[in-house]
Amino acid sequence: MVRRAMPERTCVGCRQRAPASELLRIIAVRDEAGLSLRPDPRRRLPGRGANMHPDPACFALAVRRRAFGRALRITEVLDHGLLAEHVDAPTTTSGQPDRARVASRVGRPT
């Protein structure tokens, strides 16, 4: 029986290596407001990605260390609002953020 190696990546927050399946892939997307960080849980969106544990502590470390810009090789200022909502949001049984709770946290109507 041949065992295949599981791909490993390094979390940009805590700098720990983990299987890629345990980490959340993050990409930068350009929109009218500039560059913003977006979660890519299915790991399918094009472009260079950074990996992070889906944990608020790792997110806070990555923001404090300015690790997203280095990992994505971007020198511009990055908006991490959507990513913060995704990481901090409580999830439903489907694994998706509960939109009503996220909206109430942000102050938006549902």
Side-chain angles (χ1 to χ4, degrees), residues 50-67:
N51 294 282
M52 178 186 77
H53 287 106
D55 178 21
C58 286
F59 175 72
L61 278 170
V63 170
R64 190 180 80 212
R65 294 178 49 241
R66 298 182 187 124

Side-chain angles (χ1 to χ4, degrees), residues 27 29 32 37 44 52 64 67 69 74 88 99 108:
I27 62 164
V29 176
E32 64 276 350
L37 297 174
R44 298 285 184 259
M52 178 186 77
R64 190 180 80 212
I74 296 173
D88 290 339
R99 299 221 182 271
R108 287 187 248 157

Side-chain angles (χ1 to χ4, degrees), residues 85 97-110:
E85 287 179 18
D98 183 0
R99 299 221 182 271
R101 285 188 182 167
V102 171
S104 68
R105 234 189 243 178
V106 178
R108 287 187 248 157
T110 54

Side-chain angles (χ1 to χ4, degrees), residues 63-83:
V63 170
R64 190 180 80 212
R65 294 178 49 241
R66 298 182 187 124
F68 291 116
R70 279 193 306 278
L72 297 170
R73 297 183 181 169
I74 296 173
T75 57
E76 298 176 45
V77 175
L78 298 168
D79 175 27
H80 55 274
L82 286 175
L83 182 59

